[in-house]
Amino acid sequence: MLSGQIALVTGASRGIGAAVALELGKQGATVIGTATTASGAEQISVALQQGGVKGEGVALDVNNAAQVEEVLKAIGEKHGTVSILVNNAGITRDTLLMRMSEDDWDAVMSTNLKSVFRLSQAVLRPMMKARQGRIISISSVVGHMGNAGQANYAAAKAGMSGFTKSLAREVGSRGITVNCVAPGFIDTDMTRALSEDQRNGLVQLVPVGRFGDVQDIAAAVAFLASPAAGYITGETLHVNGGMYMA
Amino acid sequence: MSDIEQRVKKIVTEQLGANEADVKNTSSFVDDLGADSLDTVELVMALEEEFDCEIPDEEAEKITTVQQAIDYVNAHVK
Ligand SMILES: NC(=O)c1ccc[n+]([C@@H]2O[C@H](COP(=O)([O-])OP(=O)(O)OC[C@H]3O[C@@H](n4cnc5c(N)ncnc54)[C@H](OP(=O)(O)O)[C@@H]3O)[C@@H](O)[C@H]2O)c1
C-alpha cells in the first residue's frame, strides 16, 4: 500500500515511534527512523531488518537545526525524498505550573513543537514538487483536555493542532495532507514513569478499560499515511479508548 | 532572447503550468498567468535553485512579472 514511499519517523527507537516505523515498513514504505544516539540508531536498523523492512536508523536530535538539514540531505541522496513524515519525537517535563522552570517549558516546547516546524519545513519543498506528501504529528489527548502538571506539554501538543490546520490549508492544493494522531494513555516508557496508583486511576477514565497499545497508534498513522486517507487533512484522529470524545 | 530570459521563461512556464506563448515579458504571474500565493513562493524557490542565489522576502515580493524576474536575476546573479 505504501510501496515506493519514503517515510521519516522521528523518535523511532522505542515506544510509539518504533511501532509506527515497523508498521509503515510492513505496508511497503522504506523507513528512516531516528534516535538521539548512534547506538539507538543502530538498534533501529536492526529492528527494521528483523521486521523485514527496508530502511535504517539514523541519529538525530530534533533540536539541532544543522543536524536536521544534514540528515535530510543524506536521506535524499541515499534513499530519495521523504514522502511521509511522522513527527513523533517528544518528551515530558511534568510539574505544576507553580513549580515549572523556564527550562522545563523551553525543553518541552522545543522538542515537541518547534521540531514539528523544523522537520515539516525541511520536507515540504520536495513534497510540493512531487505533488504528494503526508505529514503526521503525534500530539496527545492532553493537548485537548489539559492535564494538571503538564501545562508545558499540553501547550505544545495543542500547538501542533493549530500548526497542522494552518499547514493543511497552505498545501492542500499540492496533494499534501497534514494531520495529527492524538493518543490517549499508551503503554510506553513515557507512561511507565507513572506510579502504579496513577496508572490504575487513569484506567478508570478509559471506557475501553485498558491502556492503549503502541500498535493502536501505529495503525492510525498507517491509515493517515495511506492513499485511502487522501481527503482527510487538518484533522486530529483521537485514539484513546474513549477517554475523551472530541 | 538572452539566455537568462529564456531560462526564466522556462521556469515560469513549468512552475505555473502555463502555455509558452502566454508567457510574455509583461505577463503578471497572478493577473495573467493565474498564479496563487503558493505558486509565487514556489516560483521564487525555483528561480533560486536555477540561478543558485537567495532572494530575500522583501525582494521576492516585488517580483510580480516575468520582466521583474529577469531584471532581478540580471542585477543579482553573476
Ligand atoms: N505514551 C503515551 O501514553 C503518549 C500519549 C500521548 C502522546 N504521546 C506522544 O507520542 C510520542 C511518542 O511517545 P512514546 O510514549 O513512544 O515516548 P518514548 O517511549 O519516551 O520515546 C520517545 C522517543 O522520542 C525520542 N526523542 C526524545 N527527545 C528527542 C530529541 N530531542 N530528538 C530526537 N528524538 C528525541 C526518543 O529517542 P531516544 O530513544 O534516543 O531517547 C524516543 O525515540 C511523543 O510525542 C508523545 O508525546 C505518548
Short mmCIF file of all heavy atoms in Angstrom, two decimals, chain A residues 33-79:
data_model
loop_
_atom_site.label_atom_id
_atom_site.label_comp_id
_atom_site.label_asym_id
_atom_site.label_seq_id
_atom_site.Cartn_x
_atom_site.Cartn_y
_atom_site.Cartn_z
N GLY A 33 14.23 5.77 10.57
CA GLY A 33 13.82 6.06 11.94
C GLY A 33 14.94 6.78 12.66
O GLY A 33 16.11 6.48 12.43
N THR A 34 14.60 7.71 13.53
CA THR A 34 15.66 8.43 14.23
C THR A 34 15.66 8.15 15.73
O THR A 34 14.64 7.87 16.34
CB THR A 34 15.57 9.96 14.03
OG1 THR A 34 14.58 10.50 14.90
CG2 THR A 34 15.24 10.31 12.59
N ALA A 35 16.88 8.21 16.29
CA ALA A 35 17.09 8.15 17.74
C ALA A 35 18.09 9.24 18.07
O ALA A 35 18.74 9.76 17.17
CB ALA A 35 17.64 6.79 18.14
N THR A 36 18.22 9.57 19.34
CA THR A 36 19.14 10.66 19.68
C THR A 36 20.59 10.19 19.72
O THR A 36 21.49 11.02 19.67
CB THR A 36 18.78 11.28 21.05
OG1 THR A 36 18.78 10.24 22.02
CG2 THR A 36 17.42 11.94 21.01
N THR A 37 20.80 8.89 19.82
CA THR A 37 22.18 8.39 19.92
C THR A 37 22.50 7.45 18.76
O THR A 37 21.60 6.88 18.14
CB THR A 37 22.37 7.58 21.22
OG1 THR A 37 21.45 6.48 21.20
CG2 THR A 37 22.10 8.43 22.45
N ALA A 38 23.81 7.29 18.51
CA ALA A 38 24.25 6.39 17.46
C ALA A 38 23.86 4.95 17.78
O ALA A 38 23.46 4.19 16.90
CB ALA A 38 25.76 6.50 17.27
N SER A 39 23.94 4.58 19.07
CA SER A 39 23.59 3.19 19.42
C SER A 39 22.08 2.98 19.25
O SER A 39 21.64 1.93 18.80
CB SER A 39 24.02 2.88 20.86
OG SER A 39 23.32 3.69 21.77
N GLY A 40 21.30 4.00 19.57
CA GLY A 40 19.85 3.92 19.33
C GLY A 40 19.55 3.76 17.85
O GLY A 40 18.69 2.96 17.45
N ALA A 41 20.29 4.50 17.03
CA ALA A 41 20.10 4.41 15.58
C ALA A 41 20.41 3.01 15.08
O ALA A 41 19.69 2.44 14.26
CB ALA A 41 20.97 5.45 14.88
N GLU A 42 21.50 2.46 15.63
CA GLU A 42 21.91 1.11 15.25
C GLU A 42 20.81 0.10 15.59
O GLU A 42 20.47 -0.78 14.80
CB GLU A 42 23.22 0.77 15.98
CG GLU A 42 23.86 -0.53 15.59
CD GLU A 42 24.01 -0.69 14.08
OE1 GLU A 42 24.37 0.29 13.39
OE2 GLU A 42 23.75 -1.80 13.61
N GLN A 43 20.24 0.27 16.78
CA GLN A 43 19.15 -0.63 17.20
C GLN A 43 17.95 -0.54 16.26
O GLN A 43 17.28 -1.53 15.99
CB GLN A 43 18.69 -0.28 18.61
CG GLN A 43 19.57 -0.86 19.70
CD GLN A 43 19.21 -0.29 21.07
OE1 GLN A 43 18.07 0.10 21.30
NE2 GLN A 43 20.18 -0.23 21.96
N ILE A 44 17.68 0.66 15.80
CA ILE A 44 16.56 0.82 14.86
C ILE A 44 16.85 0.06 13.57
O ILE A 44 15.99 -0.67 13.07
CB ILE A 44 16.31 2.32 14.54
CG1 ILE A 44 15.84 3.05 15.80
CG2 ILE A 44 15.28 2.47 13.43
CD1 ILE A 44 15.73 4.56 15.64
N SER A 45 18.08 0.21 13.08
CA SER A 45 18.45 -0.52 11.86
C SER A 45 18.21 -2.02 12.04
O SER A 45 17.66 -2.68 11.16
CB SER A 45 19.92 -0.28 11.52
OG SER A 45 20.13 1.06 11.14
N VAL A 46 18.64 -2.52 13.20
CA VAL A 46 18.47 -3.95 13.48
C VAL A 46 16.98 -4.33 13.54
O VAL A 46 16.55 -5.31 12.93
CB VAL A 46 19.18 -4.33 14.80
CG1 VAL A 46 18.83 -5.75 15.22
CG2 VAL A 46 20.69 -4.16 14.65
N ALA A 47 16.21 -3.51 14.24
CA ALA A 47 14.78 -3.82 14.39
C ALA A 47 14.08 -3.82 13.03
O ALA A 47 13.24 -4.67 12.76
CB ALA A 47 14.12 -2.80 15.32
N LEU A 48 14.44 -2.86 12.19
CA LEU A 48 13.82 -2.79 10.86
C LEU A 48 14.19 -4.03 10.05
O LEU A 48 13.33 -4.64 9.42
CB LEU A 48 14.26 -1.53 10.12
CG LEU A 48 13.74 -0.20 10.69
CD1 LEU A 48 14.35 0.98 9.92
CD2 LEU A 48 12.22 -0.12 10.64
N GLN A 49 15.46 -4.37 10.13
CA GLN A 49 15.92 -5.52 9.37
C GLN A 49 15.21 -6.79 9.82
O GLN A 49 14.74 -7.58 9.01
CB GLN A 49 17.43 -5.66 9.56
CG GLN A 49 18.10 -6.40 8.43
CD GLN A 49 19.62 -6.34 8.60
OE1 GLN A 49 20.12 -6.14 9.72
NE2 GLN A 49 20.34 -6.51 7.53
N GLN A 50 15.11 -6.95 11.16
CA GLN A 50 14.43 -8.13 11.70
C GLN A 50 12.97 -8.16 11.28
O GLN A 50 12.39 -9.23 11.10
CB GLN A 50 14.54 -8.17 13.22
CG GLN A 50 15.90 -8.67 13.68
CD GLN A 50 16.09 -8.53 15.19
OE1 GLN A 50 15.25 -7.93 15.88
NE2 GLN A 50 17.17 -9.08 15.71
N GLY A 51 12.38 -7.00 11.15
CA GLY A 51 10.98 -6.93 10.72
C GLY A 51 10.83 -7.05 9.21
O GLY A 51 9.72 -6.93 8.69
N GLY A 52 11.95 -7.23 8.51
CA GLY A 52 11.88 -7.36 7.06
C GLY A 52 11.54 -6.05 6.36
O GLY A 52 10.94 -6.04 5.29
N VAL A 53 11.97 -4.95 6.99
CA VAL A 53 11.63 -3.63 6.46
C VAL A 53 12.86 -2.97 5.85
O VAL A 53 13.94 -3.02 6.41
CB VAL A 53 11.07 -2.74 7.61
CG1 VAL A 53 10.98 -1.29 7.18
CG2 VAL A 53 9.73 -3.27 8.08
N LYS A 54 12.66 -2.36 4.69
CA LYS A 54 13.74 -1.59 4.07
C LYS A 54 13.95 -0.29 4.83
O LYS A 54 12.97 0.36 5.22
CB LYS A 54 13.39 -1.22 2.63
CG LYS A 54 13.40 -2.37 1.65
CD LYS A 54 13.16 -1.85 0.22
CE LYS A 54 11.87 -1.09 0.07
NZ LYS A 54 10.70 -1.73 -0.38
N GLY A 55 15.21 0.11 5.02
CA GLY A 55 15.45 1.39 5.66
C GLY A 55 16.55 1.29 6.68
O GLY A 55 17.30 0.31 6.72
N GLU A 56 16.65 2.29 7.55
CA GLU A 56 17.73 2.32 8.52
C GLU A 56 17.43 3.31 9.65
O GLU A 56 16.53 4.14 9.53
CB GLU A 56 19.04 2.72 7.83
CG GLU A 56 18.97 4.12 7.26
CD GLU A 56 20.29 4.61 6.67
OE1 GLU A 56 21.34 4.18 7.16
OE2 GLU A 56 20.25 5.42 5.74
N GLY A 57 18.22 3.17 10.70
CA GLY A 57 18.14 4.14 11.77
C GLY A 57 19.21 5.20 11.59
O GLY A 57 20.29 4.90 11.10
N VAL A 58 18.90 6.43 11.96
CA VAL A 58 19.92 7.49 11.93
C VAL A 58 19.84 8.28 13.24
O VAL A 58 18.79 8.33 13.88
CB VAL A 58 19.74 8.47 10.74
CG1 VAL A 58 19.90 7.76 9.41
CG2 VAL A 58 18.42 9.18 10.81
N ALA A 59 20.97 8.87 13.63
CA ALA A 59 20.99 9.68 14.84
C ALA A 59 20.54 11.09 14.51
O ALA A 59 21.00 11.68 13.54
CB ALA A 59 22.40 9.69 15.44
N LEU A 60 19.61 11.60 15.30
CA LEU A 60 19.12 12.96 15.07
C LEU A 60 18.57 13.54 16.37
O LEU A 60 17.72 12.93 17.01
CB LEU A 60 18.01 12.94 14.01
CG LEU A 60 17.28 14.27 13.79
CD1 LEU A 60 18.19 15.29 13.15
CD2 LEU A 60 16.04 14.09 12.94
N ASP A 61 19.07 14.71 16.71
CA ASP A 61 18.46 15.48 17.79
C ASP A 61 17.59 16.53 17.11
O ASP A 61 18.11 17.40 16.40
CB ASP A 61 19.57 16.14 18.62
CG ASP A 61 19.00 17.08 19.68
OD1 ASP A 61 17.77 17.24 19.74
OD2 ASP A 61 19.80 17.64 20.45
N VAL A 62 16.29 16.42 17.30
CA VAL A 62 15.38 17.33 16.57
C VAL A 62 15.57 18.79 16.98
O VAL A 62 15.06 19.69 16.33
CB VAL A 62 13.90 16.93 16.75
CG1 VAL A 62 13.61 15.59 16.08
CG2 VAL A 62 13.49 16.93 18.21
N ASN A 63 16.31 19.02 18.06
CA ASN A 63 16.57 20.40 18.48
C ASN A 63 17.77 21.01 17.77
O ASN A 63 18.08 22.18 17.99
CB ASN A 63 16.78 20.46 19.99
CG ASN A 63 15.52 20.10 20.73
OD1 ASN A 63 14.44 20.50 20.33
ND2 ASN A 63 15.65 19.32 21.79
N ASN A 64 18.42 20.23 16.96
CA ASN A 64 19.63 20.69 16.29
C ASN A 64 19.34 20.96 14.80
O ASN A 64 19.27 20.05 13.99
CB ASN A 64 20.71 19.61 16.45
CG ASN A 64 22.03 20.03 15.85
OD1 ASN A 64 22.09 20.84 14.94
ND2 ASN A 64 23.10 19.44 16.38
N ALA A 65 19.15 22.23 14.49
CA ALA A 65 18.72 22.61 13.13
C ALA A 65 19.71 22.15 12.07
O ALA A 65 19.32 21.65 11.01
CB ALA A 65 18.53 24.12 13.05
N ALA A 66 21.00 22.31 12.35
CA ALA A 66 22.01 21.94 11.36
C ALA A 66 21.97 20.43 11.09
O ALA A 66 22.10 19.98 9.96
CB ALA A 66 23.39 22.35 11.85
N GLN A 67 21.73 19.68 12.17
CA GLN A 67 21.68 18.22 12.02
C GLN A 67 20.46 17.79 11.21
O GLN A 67 20.54 16.87 10.40
CB GLN A 67 21.66 17.58 13.41
CG GLN A 67 22.31 16.22 13.43
CD GLN A 67 22.24 15.57 14.80
OE1 GLN A 67 21.39 15.92 15.62
NE2 GLN A 67 23.12 14.64 15.04
N VAL A 68 19.35 18.47 11.43
CA VAL A 68 18.14 18.16 10.66
C VAL A 68 18.45 18.32 9.17
O VAL A 68 18.11 17.47 8.35
CB VAL A 68 16.97 19.08 11.08
CG1 VAL A 68 15.81 18.97 10.09
CG2 VAL A 68 16.50 18.73 12.49
N GLU A 69 19.11 19.42 8.85
CA GLU A 69 19.44 19.68 7.45
C GLU A 69 20.34 18.59 6.88
O GLU A 69 20.10 18.07 5.80
CB GLU A 69 20.12 21.05 7.36
CG GLU A 69 20.02 21.69 5.99
CD GLU A 69 20.59 23.10 6.03
OE1 GLU A 69 20.16 23.89 6.90
OE2 GLU A 69 21.47 23.39 5.21
N GLU A 70 21.38 18.26 7.66
CA GLU A 70 22.33 17.22 7.23
C GLU A 70 21.65 15.88 7.00
O GLU A 70 21.85 15.23 5.98
CB GLU A 70 23.36 16.97 8.34
CG GLU A 70 24.63 17.76 8.26
CD GLU A 70 25.39 17.65 9.58
OE1 GLU A 70 25.49 16.52 10.11
OE2 GLU A 70 25.82 18.70 10.09
N VAL A 71 20.82 15.49 7.97
CA VAL A 71 20.17 14.18 7.89
C VAL A 71 19.24 14.12 6.68
O VAL A 71 19.23 13.14 5.94
CB VAL A 71 19.40 13.88 9.20
CG1 VAL A 71 18.40 12.76 9.00
CG2 VAL A 71 20.37 13.53 10.31
N LEU A 72 18.52 15.21 6.43
CA LEU A 72 17.60 15.19 5.28
C LEU A 72 18.36 15.13 3.97
O LEU A 72 17.92 14.47 3.03
CB LEU A 72 16.65 16.37 5.35
CG LEU A 72 15.49 15.92 6.22
CD1 LEU A 72 14.99 17.00 7.11
CD2 LEU A 72 14.38 15.33 5.38
N LYS A 73 19.49 15.80 3.95
CA LYS A 73 20.30 15.77 2.74
C LYS A 73 20.80 14.34 2.48
O LYS A 73 20.71 13.82 1.38
CB LYS A 73 21.48 16.74 2.91
CG LYS A 73 22.25 16.99 1.64
CD LYS A 73 22.97 18.33 1.71
CE LYS A 73 23.96 18.44 0.57
NZ LYS A 73 25.35 18.10 0.97
N ALA A 74 21.26 13.73 3.57
CA ALA A 74 21.79 12.36 3.44
C ALA A 74 20.69 11.39 3.00
O ALA A 74 20.90 10.53 2.15
CB ALA A 74 22.40 11.92 4.76
N ILE A 75 19.49 11.55 3.58
CA ILE A 75 18.38 10.68 3.19
C ILE A 75 18.07 10.87 1.71
O ILE A 75 17.88 9.91 0.96
CB ILE A 75 17.11 10.98 4.02
CG1 ILE A 75 17.34 10.63 5.50
CG2 ILE A 75 15.91 10.21 3.47
CD1 ILE A 75 16.22 11.08 6.41
N GLY A 76 18.03 12.13 1.29
CA GLY A 76 17.73 12.44 -0.11
C GLY A 76 18.71 11.77 -1.05
O GLY A 76 18.32 11.23 -2.09
N GLU A 77 19.98 11.79 -0.67
CA GLU A 77 20.99 11.22 -1.55
C GLU A 77 20.95 9.69 -1.55
O GLU A 77 21.15 9.05 -2.57
CB GLU A 77 22.40 11.69 -1.13
CG GLU A 77 22.66 13.12 -1.60
CD GLU A 77 23.83 13.78 -0.88
OE1 GLU A 77 24.53 13.09 -0.12
OE2 GLU A 77 24.02 14.99 -1.10
N LYS A 78 20.66 9.14 -0.39
CA LYS A 78 20.72 7.68 -0.27
C LYS A 78 19.42 6.99 -0.67
O LYS A 78 19.44 5.94 -1.30
CB LYS A 78 21.07 7.34 1.18
CG LYS A 78 21.53 5.92 1.36
CD LYS A 78 22.26 5.74 2.67
CE LYS A 78 22.49 4.27 2.94
NZ LYS A 78 22.90 4.03 4.31
N HIS A 79 18.29 7.58 -0.25
CA HIS A 79 17.02 6.88 -0.44
C HIS A 79 16.06 7.59 -1.37
O HIS A 79 15.13 7.00 -1.90
CB HIS A 79 16.31 6.69 0.91
CG HIS A 79 17.12 5.94 1.92
ND1 HIS A 79 17.23 4.57 1.91
CD2 HIS A 79 17.86 6.36 2.96
CE1 HIS A 79 18.01 4.18 2.90
NE2 HIS A 79 18.41 5.25 3.56
#
